[in-house]
Amino acid sequence: MELDNIERLLEKYFEATTTVDEERKLREYFSQDDVATHLQQYRPMFNYFSSAKEERYTKQVPLKPRVNYYKWLSVAAAVVLTFGIYFGKQYQDRKQRELEQAEYAYQETKKAFELLAENFGRGTEKVAYLKEFEEAKQKIYNNN
């Protein structure tokens, strides 16, 4: 190969405009023993690319099966929703019973106060008689 041609290919290589065939020619040139002295600096780079292409990874790669968390998440959401509906219904029923008991207690208390008010009304009538009695007694004592 001509030295001018190799220098031109190197320029194209560093500009990233070479084809695969041109890169193969560069690798072949730098793998030879007779490389121009001013191009010796590029030889390790092209030799490395050639040797790196031959390397293989030989260790085993441990592959874990991927756990599908979305399936378990949807199951958990369904369980939480079911419990929420069940216990929410019980809570509403219990609150309804408490509300009914409170209403019943209110009605009974209201009846008791009405009865008390009625009896107080009778008591004030009797006190009015006592007042008349007291006035009569005072008249008797004052005349004596």
Side-chain angles (χ1 to χ4, degrees), residues 75-92:
V75 169
V79 168
V80 167
L81 185 63
T82 303
F83 278 120
I85 291 171
Y86 177 73
F87 288 116
K89 178 72 171 139
Q90 282 186 346
Y91 179 76
Q92 283 181 339

Side-chain angles (χ1 to χ4, degrees), residues 7 9 11 17 20 30 38 42 47 69 81 89 96-99 106 113:
E7 289 175 349
L9 286 177
E11 285 180 28
T17 58
V20 175
F30 284 107
H38 69 284
Y42 302 115
N47 286 337
Y69 291 111
L81 185 63
K89 178 72 171 139
Q96 185 64 32
R97 284 193 302 273
E98 288 175 359
L99 186 63
Y106 171 73
F113 280 137

